[in-house]
Amino acid sequence: MKSVNCIQFIKKHRILSLFVFFVILVSGIIGIGDPYMSHVLIIGGIYGFLAIGLNVVTGLCGQINLGMAGFYAIGSYTSALLSTKLGVHFLVAFPVSIVFAAIAGLIIGYPALKVRGGVYLVLITTSFASIIQTILTQWVSLTNGPMGVVGIESPSFFGLTVQSLDSWLILTYFLLLVAMIVGMNIEHSRIGRSLKAVRESDTAAQSLGVNLAYYKILAFVISAAFGGAGGSLYAYYMTTVSPDIYNMNLSVQTLTMIVIGGVGSIPGSILGGIIIAVLPEMLRFLGSLQMVVYALLIVMATILLRRGLLGTGVDAIRFFKKALMGGASNG
């Protein structure tokens, strides 16, 4: 019965439980004291922003989006240019980067309305990401072309500069916690319910009074905003950005994150992001077989974990909960 009460408490105090979980997670990572693993987990946390964004437009709204690398790039380069060319502080550059990425989501969301079927959406979104990468490469006077932007200043708060890996872990996972809370609130709000209705059926959603055009574009805007937030954070963490980072592989990786974590699951997005960052490092001892085994594990997870790792875990908890309650009633 204590286990059942614990589960009920977590459900009732979801935000508090998430906060405690993140405090324990970050404390544990810092306690390990491995600089390289800390770096990998920071990247995994940044990936979480991308995965949350994709889960809004794909998991909740059912719109295929393989252009997340483009939104990520816009967030990165906006922060990089504001920091290096204008000396803008992180607290200003970070939200401005989110707004710029959201505007890009608005622009790409409109033509996405004009097509039907996943194939055409894939073409539009991948073309968008390719165009952004080309602009970043060719517009040398602004972006420094293939050489990228260097010398991005680290964020500072109250005279304290975020430079150490421990401070970056705290900042990344704090912002990720905020992003997850925002994402979960969207999911359980009227917006989230409308997006799910669109995902299930355009016709049924319209019959319920859902404005298809508005909510499909809104899904792209929200998705882009999360991607821009992740891109901005990445630029400040790495202190340098270059166009080669924002390629098609990143967009496919983001799709893999939500499949592993759970399509439509906001917390699962974070789990997927961390796994995609950590798993290749765990398999590094395999040498030349590393990427082969990595790919096989991804395929197996896609086939066997149809609801993602988080969904499978929730199912397991429900199973044991029923077993515990059944045992208690029999007793």
mmCIF file of all heavy atoms in Angstrom, residues 186-218:
data_model
loop_
_atom_site.group_PDB
_atom_site.id
_atom_site.type_symbol
_atom_site.label_atom_id
_atom_site.label_comp_id
_atom_site.label_asym_id
_atom_site.label_seq_id
_atom_site.Cartn_x
_atom_site.Cartn_y
_atom_site.Cartn_z
ATOM 1 N N ILE A 186 1.052 22.917 -21.662
ATOM 2 C CA ILE A 186 0.455 23.036 -22.998
ATOM 3 C C ILE A 186 -0.323 21.766 -23.340
ATOM 4 O O ILE A 186 -1.445 21.822 -23.843
ATOM 5 C CB ILE A 186 1.549 23.300 -24.059
ATOM 6 C CG1 ILE A 186 2.133 24.703 -23.882
ATOM 7 C CG2 ILE A 186 0.993 23.131 -25.472
ATOM 8 C CD1 ILE A 186 3.343 24.983 -24.749
ATOM 9 N N GLU A 187 0.288 20.622 -23.045
ATOM 10 C CA GLU A 187 -0.352 19.343 -23.355
ATOM 11 C C GLU A 187 -1.703 19.198 -22.676
ATOM 12 O O GLU A 187 -2.666 18.691 -23.266
ATOM 13 C CB GLU A 187 0.565 18.192 -22.938
ATOM 14 C CG GLU A 187 -0.021 16.818 -23.209
ATOM 15 C CD GLU A 187 0.851 15.694 -22.698
ATOM 16 O OE1 GLU A 187 1.919 15.981 -22.104
ATOM 17 O OE2 GLU A 187 0.463 14.521 -22.873
ATOM 18 N N HIS A 188 -1.798 19.635 -21.418
ATOM 19 C CA HIS A 188 -3.033 19.437 -20.652
ATOM 20 C C HIS A 188 -3.971 20.643 -20.716
ATOM 21 O O HIS A 188 -5.004 20.652 -20.036
ATOM 22 C CB HIS A 188 -2.684 19.125 -19.194
ATOM 23 C CG HIS A 188 -1.903 17.853 -19.025
ATOM 24 N ND1 HIS A 188 -2.445 16.615 -19.272
ATOM 25 C CD2 HIS A 188 -0.605 17.631 -18.673
ATOM 26 C CE1 HIS A 188 -1.535 15.680 -19.054
ATOM 27 N NE2 HIS A 188 -0.411 16.276 -18.698
ATOM 28 N N SER A 189 -3.621 21.627 -21.524
ATOM 29 C CA SER A 189 -4.467 22.810 -21.676
ATOM 30 C C SER A 189 -5.437 22.625 -22.847
ATOM 31 O O SER A 189 -5.434 21.578 -23.524
ATOM 32 C CB SER A 189 -3.595 24.048 -21.922
ATOM 33 O OG SER A 189 -2.984 23.963 -23.199
ATOM 34 N N ARG A 190 -6.223 23.652 -23.094
ATOM 35 C CA ARG A 190 -7.134 23.618 -24.248
ATOM 36 C C ARG A 190 -6.356 23.485 -25.550
ATOM 37 O O ARG A 190 -6.799 22.800 -26.482
ATOM 38 C CB ARG A 190 -7.972 24.901 -24.272
ATOM 39 C CG ARG A 190 -8.963 24.958 -25.417
ATOM 40 C CD ARG A 190 -9.755 26.247 -25.383
ATOM 41 N NE ARG A 190 -10.649 26.332 -26.524
ATOM 42 C CZ ARG A 190 -11.455 27.357 -26.775
ATOM 43 N NH1 ARG A 190 -11.462 28.391 -25.942
ATOM 44 N NH2 ARG A 190 -12.226 27.356 -27.834
ATOM 45 N N ILE A 191 -5.189 24.126 -25.609
ATOM 46 C CA ILE A 191 -4.348 24.029 -26.803
ATOM 47 C C ILE A 191 -3.946 22.579 -27.048
ATOM 48 O O ILE A 191 -4.046 22.066 -28.169
ATOM 49 C CB ILE A 191 -3.087 24.922 -26.660
ATOM 50 C CG1 ILE A 191 -3.478 26.395 -26.640
ATOM 51 C CG2 ILE A 191 -2.098 24.646 -27.793
ATOM 52 C CD1 ILE A 191 -2.317 27.329 -26.351
ATOM 53 N N GLY A 192 -3.489 21.906 -25.996
ATOM 54 C CA GLY A 192 -3.070 20.515 -26.126
ATOM 55 C C GLY A 192 -4.205 19.616 -26.553
ATOM 56 O O GLY A 192 -4.027 18.731 -27.406
ATOM 57 N N ARG A 193 -5.382 19.818 -25.984
ATOM 58 C CA ARG A 193 -6.542 18.997 -26.369
ATOM 59 C C ARG A 193 -6.924 19.234 -27.817
ATOM 60 O O ARG A 193 -7.304 18.295 -28.532
ATOM 61 C CB ARG A 193 -7.717 19.301 -25.431
ATOM 62 C CG ARG A 193 -7.499 18.818 -23.999
ATOM 63 C CD ARG A 193 -8.774 18.897 -23.186
ATOM 64 N NE ARG A 193 -9.198 20.288 -22.989
ATOM 65 C CZ ARG A 193 -8.816 21.052 -21.977
ATOM 66 N NH1 ARG A 193 -7.972 20.570 -21.078
ATOM 67 N NH2 ARG A 193 -9.271 22.285 -21.853
ATOM 68 N N SER A 194 -6.823 20.478 -28.260
ATOM 69 C CA SER A 194 -7.135 20.791 -29.658
ATOM 70 C C SER A 194 -6.109 20.165 -30.599
ATOM 71 O O SER A 194 -6.463 19.640 -31.665
ATOM 72 C CB SER A 194 -7.171 22.313 -29.863
ATOM 73 O OG SER A 194 -8.181 22.905 -29.082
ATOM 74 N N LEU A 195 -4.827 20.204 -30.203
ATOM 75 C CA LEU A 195 -3.778 19.595 -31.026
ATOM 76 C C LEU A 195 -3.995 18.087 -31.156
ATOM 77 O O LEU A 195 -3.823 17.510 -32.241
ATOM 78 C CB LEU A 195 -2.397 19.869 -30.422
ATOM 79 C CG LEU A 195 -1.917 21.324 -30.423
ATOM 80 C CD1 LEU A 195 -0.546 21.432 -29.753
ATOM 81 C CD2 LEU A 195 -1.858 21.899 -31.827
ATOM 82 N N LYS A 196 -4.391 17.455 -30.065
ATOM 83 C CA LYS A 196 -4.652 16.009 -30.100
ATOM 84 C C LYS A 196 -5.847 15.689 -30.985
ATOM 85 O O LYS A 196 -5.869 14.664 -31.682
ATOM 86 C CB LYS A 196 -4.870 15.484 -28.684
ATOM 87 C CG LYS A 196 -3.614 15.484 -27.835
ATOM 88 C CD LYS A 196 -3.919 15.059 -26.407
ATOM 89 C CE LYS A 196 -2.679 15.137 -25.523
ATOM 90 N NZ LYS A 196 -2.983 14.791 -24.118
ATOM 91 N N ALA A 197 -6.848 16.564 -30.963
ATOM 92 C CA ALA A 197 -8.021 16.365 -31.830
ATOM 93 C C ALA A 197 -7.615 16.447 -33.294
ATOM 94 O O ALA A 197 -8.070 15.647 -34.125
ATOM 95 C CB ALA A 197 -9.082 17.423 -31.512
ATOM 96 N N VAL A 198 -6.734 17.400 -33.626
ATOM 97 C CA VAL A 198 -6.227 17.531 -35.003
ATOM 98 C C VAL A 198 -5.444 16.283 -35.385
ATOM 99 O O VAL A 198 -5.552 15.781 -36.513
ATOM 100 C CB VAL A 198 -5.341 18.786 -35.135
ATOM 101 C CG1 VAL A 198 -4.671 18.829 -36.502
ATOM 102 C CG2 VAL A 198 -6.173 20.052 -34.920
ATOM 103 N N ARG A 199 -4.664 15.771 -34.442
ATOM 104 C CA ARG A 199 -3.860 14.571 -34.706
ATOM 105 C C ARG A 199 -4.735 13.375 -35.059
ATOM 106 O O ARG A 199 -4.430 12.610 -35.974
ATOM 107 C CB ARG A 199 -3.015 14.240 -33.470
ATOM 108 C CG ARG A 199 -2.182 12.966 -33.580
ATOM 109 C CD ARG A 199 -1.575 12.613 -32.233
ATOM 110 N NE ARG A 199 -2.602 12.262 -31.259
ATOM 111 C CZ ARG A 199 -2.385 12.138 -29.949
ATOM 112 N NH1 ARG A 199 -1.174 12.362 -29.467
ATOM 113 N NH2 ARG A 199 -3.364 11.805 -29.135
ATOM 114 N N GLU A 200 -5.838 13.235 -34.348
ATOM 115 C CA GLU A 200 -6.700 12.071 -34.547
ATOM 116 C C GLU A 200 -7.470 12.153 -35.850
ATOM 117 O O GLU A 200 -7.583 11.172 -36.577
ATOM 118 C CB GLU A 200 -7.664 11.916 -33.364
ATOM 119 C CG GLU A 200 -6.983 11.667 -32.024
ATOM 120 C CD GLU A 200 -6.101 10.444 -32.036
ATOM 121 O OE1 GLU A 200 -6.469 9.448 -32.692
ATOM 122 O OE2 GLU A 200 -5.019 10.486 -31.417
ATOM 123 N N SER A 201 -8.027 13.336 -36.153
ATOM 124 C CA SER A 201 -8.812 13.477 -37.379
ATOM 125 C C SER A 201 -9.118 14.943 -37.647
ATOM 126 O O SER A 201 -9.685 15.620 -36.789
ATOM 127 C CB SER A 201 -10.128 12.691 -37.259
ATOM 128 O OG SER A 201 -11.001 13.009 -38.318
ATOM 129 N N ASP A 202 -8.741 15.415 -38.839
ATOM 130 C CA ASP A 202 -9.050 16.790 -39.217
ATOM 131 C C ASP A 202 -10.549 17.025 -39.229
ATOM 132 O O ASP A 202 -11.050 18.040 -38.722
ATOM 133 C CB ASP A 202 -8.486 17.098 -40.613
ATOM 134 C CG ASP A 202 -6.980 17.297 -40.593
ATOM 135 O OD1 ASP A 202 -6.376 17.169 -39.506
ATOM 136 O OD2 ASP A 202 -6.407 17.568 -41.663
ATOM 137 N N THR A 203 -11.279 16.071 -39.799
ATOM 138 C CA THR A 203 -12.731 16.218 -39.925
ATOM 139 C C THR A 203 -13.402 16.257 -38.566
ATOM 140 O O THR A 203 -14.255 17.119 -38.300
ATOM 141 C CB THR A 203 -13.312 15.059 -40.759
ATOM 142 O OG1 THR A 203 -12.639 14.991 -42.012
ATOM 143 C CG2 THR A 203 -14.802 15.256 -40.981
ATOM 144 N N ALA A 204 -13.008 15.337 -37.685
ATOM 145 C CA ALA A 204 -13.606 15.293 -36.342
ATOM 146 C C ALA A 204 -13.260 16.561 -35.562
ATOM 147 O O ALA A 204 -14.098 17.106 -34.837
ATOM 148 C CB ALA A 204 -13.113 14.062 -35.596
ATOM 149 N N ALA A 205 -12.013 17.043 -35.720
ATOM 150 C CA ALA A 205 -11.604 18.259 -35.014
ATOM 151 C C ALA A 205 -12.428 19.458 -35.476
ATOM 152 O O ALA A 205 -12.864 20.275 -34.663
ATOM 153 C CB ALA A 205 -10.117 18.514 -35.255
ATOM 154 N N GLN A 206 -12.653 19.562 -36.788
ATOM 155 C CA GLN A 206 -13.461 20.664 -37.312
ATOM 156 C C GLN A 206 -14.889 20.601 -36.800
ATOM 157 O O GLN A 206 -15.505 21.624 -36.496
ATOM 158 C CB GLN A 206 -13.459 20.643 -38.841
ATOM 159 C CG GLN A 206 -12.206 21.246 -39.457
ATOM 160 C CD GLN A 206 -12.277 21.283 -40.966
ATOM 161 O OE1 GLN A 206 -12.595 20.278 -41.612
ATOM 162 N NE2 GLN A 206 -11.975 22.427 -41.549
ATOM 163 N N SER A 207 -15.408 19.392 -36.700
ATOM 164 C CA SER A 207 -16.787 19.239 -36.212
ATOM 165 C C SER A 207 -16.914 19.661 -34.748
ATOM 166 O O SER A 207 -18.006 20.020 -34.296
ATOM 167 C CB SER A 207 -17.240 17.785 -36.367
ATOM 168 O OG SER A 207 -16.514 16.932 -35.482
ATOM 169 N N LEU A 208 -15.794 19.656 -34.019
ATOM 170 C CA LEU A 208 -15.781 20.086 -32.622
ATOM 171 C C LEU A 208 -15.473 21.583 -32.488
ATOM 172 O O LEU A 208 -15.354 22.098 -31.378
ATOM 173 C CB LEU A 208 -14.743 19.289 -31.832
ATOM 174 C CG LEU A 208 -15.022 17.783 -31.666
ATOM 175 C CD1 LEU A 208 -13.829 17.086 -31.043
ATOM 176 C CD2 LEU A 208 -16.271 17.572 -30.815
ATOM 177 N N GLY A 209 -15.325 22.252 -33.628
ATOM 178 C CA GLY A 209 -15.079 23.692 -33.599
ATOM 179 C C GLY A 209 -13.620 24.077 -33.518
ATOM 180 O O GLY A 209 -13.291 25.232 -33.217
ATOM 181 N N VAL A 210 -12.718 23.122 -33.784
ATOM 182 C CA VAL A 210 -11.281 23.405 -33.734
ATOM 183 C C VAL A 210 -10.849 24.063 -35.047
ATOM 184 O O VAL A 210 -11.151 23.558 -36.138
ATOM 185 C CB VAL A 210 -10.465 22.115 -33.511
ATOM 186 C CG1 VAL A 210 -8.970 22.394 -33.587
ATOM 187 C CG2 VAL A 210 -10.823 21.503 -32.165
ATOM 188 N N ASN A 211 -10.164 25.186 -34.953
ATOM 189 C CA ASN A 211 -9.647 25.888 -36.121
ATOM 190 C C ASN A 211 -8.364 25.196 -36.585
ATOM 191 O O ASN A 211 -7.299 25.374 -35.984
ATOM 192 C CB ASN A 211 -9.366 27.353 -35.763
ATOM 193 C CG ASN A 211 -8.973 28.190 -36.966
ATOM 194 O OD1 ASN A 211 -8.337 27.702 -37.895
ATOM 195 N ND2 ASN A 211 -9.339 29.459 -36.940
ATOM 196 N N LEU A 212 -8.466 24.397 -37.643
ATOM 197 C CA LEU A 212 -7.336 23.581 -38.075
ATOM 198 C C LEU A 212 -6.112 24.423 -38.423
ATOM 199 O O LEU A 212 -4.995 24.121 -37.994
ATOM 200 C CB LEU A 212 -7.740 22.734 -39.292
ATOM 201 C CG LEU A 212 -8.736 21.602 -39.065
ATOM 202 C CD1 LEU A 212 -8.985 20.866 -40.361
ATOM 203 C CD2 LEU A 212 -8.219 20.636 -38.013
ATOM 204 N N ALA A 213 -6.307 25.458 -39.211
ATOM 205 C CA ALA A 213 -5.189 26.289 -39.657
ATOM 206 C C ALA A 213 -4.461 26.907 -38.462
ATOM 207 O O ALA A 213 -3.235 26.879 -38.380
ATOM 208 C CB ALA A 213 -5.683 27.379 -40.603
ATOM 209 N N TYR A 214 -5.241 27.451 -37.538
ATOM 210 C CA TYR A 214 -4.654 28.119 -36.373
ATOM 211 C C TYR A 214 -3.813 27.159 -35.548
ATOM 212 O O TYR A 214 -2.659 27.454 -35.201
ATOM 213 C CB TYR A 214 -5.762 28.726 -35.513
ATOM 214 C CG TYR A 214 -5.286 29.296 -34.204
ATOM 215 C CD1 TYR A 214 -4.650 30.538 -34.156
ATOM 216 C CD2 TYR A 214 -5.442 28.585 -33.007
ATOM 217 C CE1 TYR A 214 -4.203 31.061 -32.953
ATOM 218 C CE2 TYR A 214 -4.986 29.099 -31.805
ATOM 219 C CZ TYR A 214 -4.372 30.339 -31.782
ATOM 220 O OH TYR A 214 -3.924 30.851 -30.593
ATOM 221 N N TYR A 215 -4.353 25.983 -35.250
ATOM 222 C CA TYR A 215 -3.662 25.068 -34.342
ATOM 223 C C TYR A 215 -2.495 24.356 -35.020
ATOM 224 O O TYR A 215 -1.487 24.040 -34.365
ATOM 225 C CB TYR A 215 -4.641 24.072 -33.733
ATOM 226 C CG TYR A 215 -5.444 24.692 -32.619
ATOM 227 C CD1 TYR A 215 -6.770 25.058 -32.805
ATOM 228 C CD2 TYR A 215 -4.860 24.944 -31.386
ATOM 229 C CE1 TYR A 215 -7.503 25.660 -31.781
ATOM 230 C CE2 TYR A 215 -5.584 25.547 -30.357
ATOM 231 C CZ TYR A 215 -6.899 25.897 -30.568
ATOM 232 O OH TYR A 215 -7.605 26.499 -29.550
ATOM 233 N N LYS A 216 -2.579 24.106 -36.309
ATOM 234 C CA LYS A 216 -1.434 23.502 -36.999
ATOM 235 C C LYS A 216 -0.258 24.473 -37.054
ATOM 236 O O LYS A 216 0.892 24.090 -36.816
ATOM 237 C CB LYS A 216 -1.843 23.076 -38.411
ATOM 238 C CG LYS A 216 -2.667 21.796 -38.443
ATOM 239 C CD LYS A 216 -2.944 21.360 -39.871
ATOM 240 C CE LYS A 216 -3.727 20.047 -39.904
ATOM 241 N NZ LYS A 216 -3.980 19.579 -41.287
ATOM 242 N N ILE A 217 -0.551 25.743 -37.352
ATOM 243 C CA ILE A 217 0.514 26.749 -37.368
ATOM 244 C C ILE A 217 1.052 26.963 -35.961
ATOM 245 O O ILE A 217 2.271 27.077 -35.753
ATOM 246 C CB ILE A 217 -0.005 28.075 -37.964
ATOM 247 C CG1 ILE A 217 -0.290 27.904 -39.458
ATOM 248 C CG2 ILE A 217 1.019 29.191 -37.756
ATOM 249 C CD1 ILE A 217 -0.892 29.123 -40.113
ATOM 250 N N LEU A 218 0.153 26.998 -34.973
ATOM 251 C CA LEU A 218 0.580 27.182 -33.587
ATOM 252 C C LEU A 218 1.509 26.056 -33.146
ATOM 253 O O LEU A 218 2.494 26.290 -32.420
ATOM 254 C CB LEU A 218 -0.638 27.250 -32.665
ATOM 255 C CG LEU A 218 -0.351 27.487 -31.180
ATOM 256 C CD1 LEU A 218 0.353 28.830 -30.967
ATOM 257 C CD2 LEU A 218 -1.651 27.433 -30.363
#
